[in-house]
Amino acid sequence: MDAAGDVDGDGYADIVIGADRYKQFTGRAYVYAGSPTGLSTSPVFVATGESVNNHFGYSVAGAGDVDGDGQAEVIVGAYGHDNWTGRAYVPCTPGDG
């Protein structure tokens, strides 16, 4: 789990959670929105890895405003991608349209 910044552009900090063991280690990443009363109870964004043993979501972090749209993005690591070569993803999140 990591602070993600304001991913959805509502003025409240959000969090990203990785689950690299989801579905035979394909993995997932979940973004939960912040609000004046706390975090949402359901994710506002879910991304799933590409294949079995990808381990998508093993590492997650806020990435800042990568694309210059004024809203934060998240970065998700998948160390098992491409026969353990690994890959980092910056998936489209709620504020990216």
Side-chain angles (χ1 to χ4, degrees):
M1 178 175 72
D2 195 33
D6 185 12
V7 173
D8 59 4
D10 65 358
Y12 298 97
D14 308 314
I15 64 165
V16 58
I17 298 174
D20 76 305
R21 295 180 180 204
Y22 173 81
K23 288 241 179 155
Q24 298 177 315
F25 302 99
T26 299
R28 272 195 167 170
Y30 303 88
V31 174
Y32 289 83
S35 75
T37 59
L39 290 173
S40 60
T41 57
S42 298
V44 294
F45 177 79
V46 179
T48 303
E50 295 182 75
S51 61
V52 171
N53 291 325
N54 202 39
H55 287 273
F56 182 84
Y58 180 78
S59 53
V60 294
D65 183 10
V66 174
D67 59 7
D69 66 355
Q71 294 174 210
E73 278 76 46
V74 299
I75 189 165
V76 182
Y79 74 87
H81 177 79
D82 193 21
N83 201 29
W84 309 106
T85 302
R87 178 175 275 179
Y89 299 82
V90 180
C92 292
T93 50
D96 291 331

